[in-house]
Amino acid sequence: MHPPLIDVQGVTRTYRVGGRTVAALHAVDLTVRPGEFVAVVGRSGSGKSTLLNILGLLDQPDGGRYRFGGEDVGRLSRSARAALRSASIGFVFQSFNLLARSTALENVELPLIYARVGLAERRRRAAEALAEVGLAARARHAPGQLSGGEQQRVAIARAIANDPSLILADEPTGALDSRTGLEILALLQALNRRGRSIVLVTHDATVARHTQRIVSMHDGRIVAEEAVGSPLDARTAAADGGARRPEPVP
C-alpha cells in the first residue's frame, strides 16, 4: 500500500485577533491517500479554510506534524515549501482568480512560468490542460469572453497544468448556478477517475456527496468522517437539468 499523500497529526493553529488568541484548529488528524476525493465540510468559522491553507503549504501550523508525500514539511525552508507547493499542488478557488487581460491559455501557463518551464513546453502543456477540461477551442479568449463555468474550467486547467499530486478546491461551485456547478463537479470526478487526488472544501452537504469521503469540521475540530458508498454522479444530475437547492451543513 502506498503511504498517505497527506498525513496530518495533531495540527493546531491559533491567531491573534483584537488582542486575544483565537484557536482555529485543535489537534486535527487527517489522512488522505493517493487517488482519493475527499470533501471537508463545515459552517463558516469551522476551520476548514485554515486547514486547506495548511494542506496547500500557504500557512504553517503552530503545533503538530504535516507530512506531504512522506515529506515532513515542517522541516523545510520557506523556499523549499514554495517549490514543493509549485510542483505538487494545484489550487481551484470560488472566485476563479484569473487575470482579466490574459487569454485562457496564458492564465493556464502561469504555474508553468513560476516553475521556469520553457515557452514551447509550457504552451504545449497549457493547451493539453485546456483540452482536458473541454476548452481547447477557447484558448485565445479572455476571461470576460467566457461564462462562469468556462472560467472555472480554465482555473481547473491551470491547477492541473503542472501535473500536481494534489488538487485543493475551495468552494469551486459556490459562484455558479446549480447546473453549471454540477458540470464542474463532473469534471472533478473525471479528473479523480484518472488518478488525481482532490480535497474539496464546501459548506454544501449535497456537493460533498459527490466525493468518496466526507470529513466534517466544527469549531476547529474534525467531528466526523464518513465514507460515501455510492457518490452522486454529477454527470447524470447535470444532464437532468441540475435543479437542486444547496443543502447546508447542519
Side-chain angles (χ1 to χ4, degrees):
M1 182 179 290
H2 293 291
L5 178 61
I6 290 171
D7 184 14
V8 170
Q9 298 294 327
V11 160
T12 61
R13 185 69 172 97
T14 59
Y15 297 99
R16 294 288 295 173
V17 179
R20 64 190 182 96
T21 300
V22 176
L25 296 177
H26 300 269
V28 168
D29 296 340
L30 176 66
T31 299
V32 177
R33 297 204 168 271
E36 274 198 290
F37 191 175
V38 177
V40 178
V41 301
R43 294 179 181 273
S44 178
S46 64
K48 60 187 189 297
S49 293
T50 299
L51 178 59
L52 191 77
N53 287 339
I54 288 173
L55 298 182
L57 306 179
L58 298 171
D59 193 9
Q60 289 185 275
D62 299 319
R65 188 190 70 190
Y66 175 23
R67 291 185 182 275
F68 182 86
E71 182 92 54
D72 187 346
V73 299
R75 298 178 179 271
L76 299 178
S77 66
R78 177 177 295 184
S79 61
R81 288 195 305 273
L84 180 61
R85 180 173 62 246
S86 176
S88 302
I89 302 175
F91 295 88
V92 180
F93 303 98
Q94 177 177 338
S95 56
F96 318 141
N97 288 6
L98 301 178
L99 298 180
R101 296 185 179 181
S102 298
T103 65
L105 185 71
E106 290 166 344
N107 270 282
V108 176
E109 284 185 89
L110 282 175
L112 301 170
I113 292 173
Y114 297 143
R116 299 183 179 180
V117 177
L119 176 61
E121 177 65 10
R122 72 174 185 254
R123 286 281 164 88
R124 182 187 68 80
R125 288 198 213 172
E128 287 181 353
L130 281 172
E132 190 169 355
V133 302
L135 283 184
R138 308 285 271 171
R140 300 298 176 185
H141 288 70
Q145 298 172 302
L146 303 174
S147 69
E150 288 172 332
Q151 289 184 62
Q152 192 61 295
R153 285 176 179 269
V154 173
I156 292 172
R158 180 182 59 195
I160 65 175
N162 226 11
D163 194 22
S165 305
L166 174 68
I167 297 172
L168 296 177
D170 189 359
E171 299 281 5
T173 64
L176 305 172
D177 63 73
S178 296
R179 181 167 185 167
T180 306
L182 286 167
E183 291 171 353
I184 292 302
L185 287 172
L187 175 56
L188 292 173
Q189 287 178 329
L191 293 173
N192 176 248
R193 285 193 296 271
R194 295 170 199 154
R196 300 184 187 276
S197 307
I198 305 174
V199 175
L200 179 152
V201 163
T202 182
H203 70 280
D204 185 340
T206 303
V207 168
R209 303 301 303 179
H210 291 83
T211 70
Q212 299 165 346
R213 181 158 58 99
I214 300 173
V215 175
S216 299
M217 296 193 69
H218 180 73
D219 288 346
R221 294 179 171 87
I222 291 178
V223 295
E225 292 196 41
E226 174 193 358
V228 182
S230 298
L232 297 176
D233 187 337
R235 291 174 301 179
T236 300
D240 288 343
R244 68 173 183 86
R245 291 181 179 273
E247 181 180 333
V249 175

